Each structure stands twice: as structure tokens, then as C-alpha cells.
């Protein structure tokens, strides 16, 4: 009996396994039928042309443009999802995906990656007139790379979907995507250990709307001409580095209810508020350039116990908007630069000899009563500023730095004063 089992095993091992095949799909073929007939692991090379279809991919397949210069167009006819990915290990490469349905309740998308469709790859695709570009739900290890996503731009902002929506995922990589005319560029909820890098989000509500997600990296992203740039809320253990946020009508980078994170080497320029920091503790903010914003940093809701050093605050109308019950001292690990500092450096060590205070009681009056700005340049108000700094009875709690830098760390800061629109991104 043992000999028989041994020979049966040898026979089973000697039977050749089916190998993945590559098929060329012509424009006059039925693409949905070709997907149904394909075996797991096959590659479908799709010829240029328009394919009117709503596809369901229920096995591991690769759908790739046969010619990267003339890409195939998959048109969903403004109904449902254009492509729904059901199986794991599906690759979509070099396609044009157009005309999803417009039902927010049904979450119609250009590509809907449903729960369990792990390791999906969507790269080098164009999404045109889709409600959601990509909806990714409970699917891990996805790669979404180098896609162009534009939404239903004739819809009101609140009626559009998001460019890329992640829900309850692990280890996603969202890299090099260009997203515009959607509701939020990248919407992230309960998704951890992800990388978001080199994406460009513009002309949307929030470049990123991001909640309840941990251990993620945001780096080298551009967010501009939105209502808000990066909005990171109710999160911890984030690395936020080398991002650039400019010309947003509210904030450049929002840090709301965030802990144990590092925010470094970012540029926030020409926003109404550069940083909006609310209920943030135990974070490190270092080496950031905060320039030409209406308010450099709006700090509120008990945002104490953060380390803030080696930053440049240049030409912001209000460097800091800070209302709290006690002072905060910044710059203990490295001096910040403040362009409106009026102290001196008598010993020549590159740091000021007298403390810098970011705001006083008169600033508080201006924040509460904006019309009082009409009097800011009057001799009386300037005298009140001086008196408030000299007499503790009139002093308001402030951000204080004992020995600020005399020169900025960021050498090419003037670019961010002079650039405009898309040209800022080319820096």
C-alpha cells in the first residue's frame, strides 16, 4: 500500500501544470466574454479602441494596454462601476476608464476594489468622468500608481465622489497620482501602515481627508488651490515630510487630534492658515518653511507638549494665532527663525539675544474684532504693542522663543513668495 501511494505521488508530480497565457484582444471582441473565458493568471493585451462594458474580474488577471501610446478606453455608460475587482492579484495597466454611474449611495467608481481583492495593482490609468476614481475596501497590499483622476466636474462639490477612497485597508501604496475635480483627493479611513507619496491633489475640497488611521507615511505630496491641503485628523504615529501645500483657501496642513507624529521638511505657503493645529500633543515639528500665509500657525485646543524647532516663519501676516492660558516655549532643540523678530545678536552666535514673543494682548483684540485692523498702523496701536510687551499686567500668553535664529534655515525661500499656481510645483 505504501509503494502504491509513493508511485501515485510521483505520477501527480509529473503532470505538467497549466501556465498563464497571453491573449490579444481586438476592438471587435467582447471584452467581458474574454475575461470570462480567461484562466487565472492570464494576461489580456487590449488593443486601442472603445469598449462599452461594466466589467467584473473574478479571477487573478492582468488587463494591459497593447500599445501604451494608444490606450484602450473602457466606457461604463454612466451606469454602476466601470470595473469591479472581486479576486485578489488583479493588475490593471495603461487603461482609460470613463463614465461611471453617479450614485453616491451605491458608491459608483471607475474601479471598485471590493473586500478580499488583495494585492490589486492599478497603474498608468486615466480616470475620466467617474464619481469615485477608485474605491478600495478591506483589501490589503494594493498599489495605486501613476494614475490621472478627474471626477464629474460639472457636479457640485458635495455631490462628487473622492479621487481615491481607502477604507479598512493595510499596507496600501498610493504613489504618483494626479487628482483633480473630485470631492476630496484621497480619503482615508481606518487604514494603517500605508505609504502616500508624490501625489498631486488640486482643485478639490480637501487634498487629503484622513481619519482614524495609524503608522502611515505622507511624503513628497503637492496640494494646492483646494479648500484645504492635507487634513490629518484623529490619528497617531504619522510621518509627514517633504510635502508642499500652497494657495489653499483655508489651511495648508491640518493636524487635528494627532499624537506621536513627526512633521518635518514641509512647505506651507500662501494659504489662509499655513498650519492649523488643534488638540495636538507629543509631536515633533521641525525644519518646516511657513511662508506668506495670512496666519502662519493657528494653534488651539490645548496643543501643548510638542517639540517645535528649526522652522522658518517668514512674511506671514500673523506669524502665530494662539489663544491659551499659558505660555509655550519653542526652540529648545534648535532655534526657529521669525522674520518679524526685532532683536539683535551682539555676541555674533547667529541667535538673538532677547526673547521673541509671537503675540500680545493687542493681537488678541484684533483676532476677536477684525475691523480693528484698520487701526494697526496708527501710532496709538503701535504704542499699545510696546506697552503690552513691557508691562506684565497687560501681557497675554504667547509662543515664546528665548534665542531665535537671525537668518532663515531655508535658503531658497523667496521662490515661494514669487511663484504662482502650477509653477510652484516645478520648484
Amino acid at each position: 500500500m505504501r509503494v502504491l501511494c509513493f508511485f501515485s505521488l510521483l505520477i501527480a508530480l509529473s503532470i505538467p501544470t497549466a501556465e498563464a497565457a497571453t491573449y490579444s484582444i481586438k476592438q471587435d471582441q467582447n471584452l467581458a466574454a474574454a475575461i470570462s473565458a480567461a484562466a487565472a493568471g492570464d494576461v489580456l493585451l487590449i488593443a486601442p479602441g472603445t469598449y462599452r462594458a461594466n466589467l467584473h474580474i473574478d479571477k487573478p488577471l492582468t488587463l494591459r494596454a497593447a500599445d501604451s501610446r494608444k490606450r484602450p478606453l473602457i466606457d461604463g455608460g454612466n451606469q454602476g462601476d466601470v470595473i469591479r475587482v472581486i479576486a485578489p492579484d488583479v493588475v490593471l495597466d495603461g487603461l482609460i476608464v470613463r463614465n461611471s454611474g453617479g450614485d453616491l449611495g451605491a458608491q459608483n467608481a471607475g474601479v471598485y476594489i471590493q473586500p478580499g481583492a488583495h494585492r490589486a495593482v492599478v497603474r498608468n490609468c486615466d480616470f475620466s468622468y467617474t464619481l469615485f476614481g477608485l474605491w478600495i475596501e478591506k483589501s490589503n497590499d494594493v498599489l495605486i500608481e501613476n494614475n490621472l483622476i478627474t471626477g464629474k466636474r460639472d457636479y457640485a462639490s458635495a455631490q462628487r465622489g473622492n479621487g481615491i477612497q481607502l477604507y479598512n485597508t493595510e499596507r496600501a501604496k498610493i504613489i504618483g497620482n494626479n487628482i483633480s475635480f473630485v470631492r476630496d483627493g484621497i480619503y482615508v479611513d481606518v487604514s494603517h501602515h500605508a505609504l502616500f507619496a508624490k501625489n498631486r491633489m488640486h482643485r478639490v475640497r480637501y487634498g487629503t481627508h484622513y481619519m482614524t488611521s495609524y503608522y502611515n507615511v505622507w511624503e513628497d505630496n503637492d496640494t494646492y488651490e483646494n479648500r484645504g491641503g492635507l487634513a490629518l485628523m484623529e490619528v497617531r504615529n504619522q510621518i509627514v515630510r517633504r510635502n508642499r501645500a500652497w494657495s489653499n483657501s483655508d489651511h495648508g496642513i491640518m493636524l487635528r487630534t494627532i499624537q506621536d507624529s513627526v512633521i518635518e521638511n514641509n512647505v506651507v505657503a500662501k494659504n489662509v492658515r499655513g498650519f492649523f493645529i488643534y488638540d495636538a500633543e507629543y509631536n515633533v515639528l521641525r525644519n518646516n518653511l511657513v511662508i506668506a500665509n495670512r496666519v502662519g500657525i493657528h494653534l488651539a485646543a490645548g496643543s501643548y507638549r510638542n517639540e517645535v524647532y528649526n522652522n522658518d516663519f517668514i512674511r506671514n501676516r500673523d506669524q502665530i494665532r494662539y489663544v491659551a492660558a499659558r505660555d509655550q516655549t519653542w526652540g529648545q532643540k534648535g532655534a526657529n527663525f521669525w522674520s518679524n523678530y526685532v532683536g539683535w545678536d551682539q555676541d555674533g552666535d547667529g541667535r538673538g539675544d532677547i526673547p521673541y514673543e509671537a503675540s500680545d494682548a493687542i493681537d488678541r483684540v484684533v483676532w476677536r474684532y477684525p475691523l480693528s485692523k484698520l487701526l494697526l498702523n496708527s501710532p496709538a496701536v503701535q504704542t499699545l504693542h510696546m506697552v503690552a510687551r513691557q508691562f506684565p499686567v497687560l501681557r497675554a500668553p504667547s509662543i515664546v522663543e528665548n534665542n531665535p535664529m537671525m537668518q532663515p534655515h531655508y535658503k531658497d525661500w523667496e521662490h515661494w513668495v514669487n511663484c504662482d499656481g502650477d509653477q510652484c510645483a516645478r520648484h
Side-chain angles (χ1 to χ4, degrees):
M1 186 64 180
R2 291 182 178 175
V3 173
L4 179 60
C5 291
F6 176 74
F7 279 105
S8 297
L9 179 61
L10 286 179
I11 292 170
L13 291 174
S14 67
I15 297 174
T17 58
E19 294 185 1
T22 299
Y23 298 97
S24 295
I25 308 300
K26 304 301 182 184
Q27 184 177 356
D28 57 356
Q29 291 181 255
N30 185 311
L31 183 54
I35 290 171
S36 180
D42 286 351
V43 177
L44 305 183
L45 298 180
I46 306 173
T50 298
Y51 299 80
R52 171 66 178 85
N54 297 90
L55 303 175
H56 286 69
I57 305 176
D58 59 357
K59 66 196 77 171
L61 291 176
T62 296
L63 275 63
R64 179 178 297 138
D67 185 345
S68 61
R69 298 166 300 177
K70 297 180 179 179
R71 294 179 292 164
L73 189 156
I74 317 299
D75 191 320
N78 295 308
Q79 299 292 323
D81 307 314
V82 183
I83 301 174
R84 180 171 281 257
V85 177
I86 301 170
D89 300 302
V90 169
V91 177
L92 306 175
D93 190 348
L95 311 178
I96 300 174
V97 179
R98 186 175 72 182
N99 292 342
S100 77
D103 188 340
L104 279 173
Q107 303 162 1
N108 293 156
V111 173
Y112 195 115
I113 300 174
Q114 73 174 42
H118 305 305
R119 299 176 296 281
V121 176
V122 181
R123 61 159 66 99
N124 304 321
C125 294
D126 285 2
F127 291 79
S128 174
Y129 208 67
T130 55
L131 188 67
F132 292 86
L134 294 105
W135 183 290
I136 305 161
E137 182 176 357
K138 297 181 181 178
S139 298
N140 299 329
D141 302 292
V142 300
L143 172 61
I144 311 299
E145 183 177 34
N146 297 335
N147 301 288
L148 175 65
I149 301 171
T150 56
K152 292 181 181 287
R153 62 188 296 176
D154 57 333
Y155 283 31
S157 175
Q159 300 304 312
R160 300 173 186 169
N162 303 313
I164 299 172
Q165 175 117 8
L166 286 171
Y167 173 68
N168 202 359
T169 70
E170 294 274 351
R171 298 177 299 280
K173 293 182 179 179
I174 313 297
I175 302 172
N177 302 283
N178 189 332
I179 305 170
S180 60
F181 298 106
V182 295
R183 183 171 56 197
D184 297 332
I186 301 175
Y187 190 102
V188 185
D189 193 13
V190 199
S191 295
H192 316 304
H193 302 284
L195 170 65
F196 302 88
K198 300 181 181 179
N199 301 291
R200 179 175 293 185
M201 295 151 284
H202 52 106
R203 300 168 182 91
V204 301
R205 184 179 67 172
Y206 291 126
T208 295
H209 198 159
Y210 176 89
M211 301 180 69
T212 326
S213 302
Y214 311 125
Y215 302 102
N216 294 323
V217 176
W218 293 85
E219 63 184 13
D220 300 306
N221 300 287
D222 287 336
T223 54
Y224 60 97
E225 296 184 1
N226 311 302
R227 176 181 170 186
L230 296 181
L232 308 180
M233 298 183 283
E234 300 178 20
V235 298
R236 63 175 65 244
N237 298 104
Q238 308 294 305
I239 296 175
V240 183
R241 63 190 174 203
R242 298 192 305 273
N243 302 286
R244 302 179 294 181
W246 71 93
S247 298
N248 297 291
S249 64
D250 189 350
H251 63 267
I253 298 178
M254 176 194 291
L255 305 171
R256 178 165 182 165
T257 315
I258 180 172
Q259 296 86 32
D260 304 312
S261 299
V262 176
I263 299 92
E264 62 182 359
N265 299 108
N266 302 285
V267 175
V268 288
K270 299 184 176 181
N271 308 284
V272 170
R273 294 181 289 185
F275 280 99
F276 176 49
I277 302 176
Y278 185 98
D279 185 29
E281 294 185 300
Y282 304 106
N283 304 293
V284 175
L285 285 81
R286 63 190 177 204
N287 305 321
N288 301 289
L289 173 62
V290 185
I291 184 168
N293 303 281
R294 191 176 300 173
V295 177
I297 292 184
H298 188 162
L299 197 68
S303 296
Y304 301 113
R305 293 178 284 275
N306 300 296
E307 297 178 359
V308 184
Y309 59 93
N310 289 351
N311 303 285
D312 289 337
F313 298 91
I314 300 176
R315 295 191 185 180
N316 302 292
R317 189 181 301 176
D318 293 328
Q319 299 280 38
I320 301 288
R321 181 165 292 184
Y322 177 67
V323 179
R326 64 179 186 265
D327 285 348
Q328 287 194 53
T329 301
W330 287 1
Q332 293 97 325
K333 289 192 174 181
N336 300 292
F337 172 76
W338 307 86
S339 62
N340 61 334
Y341 177 62
V342 293
W344 53 85
D345 176 20
Q346 189 169 359
D347 58 7
D349 66 352
R351 301 180 63 168
D353 296 337
I354 62 174
Y356 171 81
E357 294 188 12
S359 57
D360 60 22
I362 307 307
D363 294 317
R364 283 197 175 196
V365 171
V366 170
W367 301 336
R368 291 189 63 184
Y369 305 104
L371 287 178
S372 64
K373 288 183 179 180
L374 297 173
L375 303 173
L376 278 182
N377 292 323
S378 70
V381 171
Q382 296 301 316
T383 301
L384 285 173
H385 272 299
M386 182 182 68
V387 170
R389 285 174 166 82
Q390 295 296 321
F391 294 93
V393 70
L394 296 177
R395 187 180 179 280
S398 180
I399 299 298
V400 177
E401 180 150 358
N402 291 323
N403 301 106
M405 287 292 293
M406 297 300 294
Q407 296 294 327
H409 307 82
Y410 198 98
K411 302 305 180 187
D412 196 18
W413 58 266
E414 289 187 358
H415 164 81
W416 291 99
V417 175
N418 299 322
C419 73
D420 186 41
D422 290 346
Q423 66 176 290
C424 295
R426 293 193 289 270
H427 178 58

